[in-house]
Amino acid sequence: MTIKVAIAGARGRLGNAALQGITEMHDMEVVAAFDYKHGGLFLHDTVINEEPGGIPFYTCFATMVAETEPDVLLDVTDPDAVFNNAKQAIEHGVRPVIGTSGISNESLATLEELAHARQVGTIIAPNFSIGAVLMMKFSAMAARYLGDVEILEMHHDRKLDAPSGTAVKTAEMIQAVRAAHVQGHPEEQEIIPGARGADIEGMKIHSIRLPGLLAHQEVLLGGEGELLSIRHDTMDRKSFIPGITLAIREVMNRNDFVYGLEKIID
C-alpha cells in the first residue's frame, strides 16, 4: 500500500526537504501541497509554475481531499495556520502529522478531543529529529537523579516562537520526574528582567536566536561537585526525514492522539 501524503508548508525549507525525502520512500507518495496561495499551480522541486506534472497546489482543503484523496497531512507551517489545518484534516478523515512548534495548550487539547471523537490518528511532534528525541529522553532519565536543570536552546533568527517546542517538551518530560523547586540562591536578584530565562517549576529555559544556527539544545544538570551536559545539534534539515517518515507510517496504524515522537520510539 502506498501512503498518499499532502504537505502544508511545502514551499518552506523543511517542507521541501520533507517532500524530497518522502519522494524517495517506496511506500509513500506526495499527492498535493496545501497552501494559502498558488492554487492551480504546480511545484516542480523548488519551482512553481503552470506546467502539469509537478505537485498540485490547493487553497481549499475540501477540494484537495476530493481530488487527491490523501491519507496523511504533513504540516510544517507555523502556529497561526497549523491549528485550522489540523482541524480540517481530522474533520475530513485525513491523519495529521504536525511538525510545527508553538501550538498553545488550548489548541492541543481541542485537537486531542477532536481526534478521539473522530478516531483519526494524529501525531504532533515538536521535533522530528531522532537524535533530539533521544536527547529529551536521556535528560528526563538523568533528572531523576540530578534535579537542578537549565535548558539552553539555540535556533536560527527566523524562528517565530520562544522557547522552542523542543525545549518546552523537554521541560514537560523532566517535570514528570522532578520535584518542583526553586534553583539557585534563595535571595537571588535578577538585575535585568529575563536574565535568568523562562521559569518552569524552578527550571530555567534560555532561548538564543542568531543567524548561522539551525536547531541546537543543551540540557545542563547540576549536582554537588558535578555537571552533566546532554547536547544535540542539527546541522541539516535532512536529519528530520527519518522521524517524519516514521511518524507518517505510525499514524496510519493509529486512531488516537500522540504528542511527542518519544511516544512512538521504544
Side-chain angles (χ1 to χ4, degrees):
M1 170 187 169
T2 298
I3 304 171
K4 299 167 70 174
V5 182
I7 300 179
R11 290 185 294 113
R13 286 171 290 185
L14 177 54
N16 192 257
L19 189 156
Q20 301 301 325
I22 292 170
T23 300
E24 295 175 1
M25 299 294 114
H26 71 280
D27 59 342
M28 298 181 192
E29 176 188 6
V30 179
V31 296
F34 183 60
D35 210 312
Y36 67 93
K37 61 181 181 179
H38 299 310
L41 299 182
F42 298 86
L43 179 63
H44 301 264
D45 194 8
T46 59
V47 177
I48 301 171
N49 57 37
E50 298 178 352
E51 296 181 14
I55 306 300
F57 275 99
Y58 290 88
T59 55
C60 174
F61 201 92
T63 301
M64 180 183 72
V65 172
E67 294 186 358
T68 65
E69 299 181 338
D71 300 302
V72 174
L73 173 72
L74 172 66
D75 193 307
V76 288
T77 54
D78 59 65
D80 292 333
V82 68
F83 174 74
N84 285 331
N85 292 348
K87 185 171 180 290
Q88 288 189 86
I90 296 171
E91 289 172 345
H92 283 83
V94 179
R95 298 168 174 86
V97 171
I98 309 300
T100 302
S101 63
I103 307 172
S104 70
N105 289 334
E106 181 181 359
S107 293
L108 287 172
T110 299
L111 292 176
E112 181 175 10
E113 181 179 354
L114 185 60
H116 283 298
R118 299 294 181 95
Q119 292 193 317
V120 175
T122 301
I123 294 178
I124 298 181
N127 198 316
F128 278 123
S129 164
I130 302 296
V133 172
L134 292 173
M135 174 266 297
M136 290 187 274
K137 290 172 73 79
F138 295 158
S139 297
M141 290 170 60
R144 293 178 179 272
Y145 308 97
L146 299 171
D148 281 18
V149 183
E150 304 224 359
I151 300 170
L152 176 65
E153 59 97 347
M154 300 161 279
H155 284 80
H156 55 86
D157 60 345
R158 306 301 294 171
K159 185 170 178 59
L160 297 176
D161 54 311
S164 69
T166 300
V168 172
K169 182 62 176 175
T170 304
E172 290 173 349
M173 291 170 65
I174 291 173
Q175 274 183 291
V177 300
R178 170 189 178 272
H181 65 277
V182 176
Q183 298 177 178
H185 196 285
E187 298 180 10
E188 179 180 85
Q189 297 181 12
E190 200 173 47
I191 305 303
I192 299 177
R196 289 291 289 121
D199 188 290
I200 297 182
E201 292 190 348
M203 280 184 287
K204 301 295 183 179
I205 301 180
H206 310 269
S207 297
I208 293 174
R209 300 291 179 266
L210 287 172
L213 295 172
L214 182 51
H216 316 263
Q217 180 167 299
E218 186 170 16
V219 182
L220 302 173
L221 304 102
E224 195 66 35
E226 63 179 337
L227 177 71
L228 174 61
S229 174
I230 303 174
R231 179 176 175 125
H232 178 264
D233 296 281
T234 300
M235 279 75 74
D236 193 309
R237 287 176 177 82
K238 291 180 181 178
S239 65
F240 299 129
I241 304 307
I244 288 173
T245 53
L246 171 67
I248 289 172
R249 292 187 181 102
E250 179 68 21
V251 80
M252 291 297 295
N253 298 316
R254 307 190 73 105
N255 58 5
D256 58 353
F257 178 92
V258 177
Y259 176 57
L261 204 61
E262 76 282 354
K263 301 287 181 57
I264 61 175
I265 293 179
D266 292 335

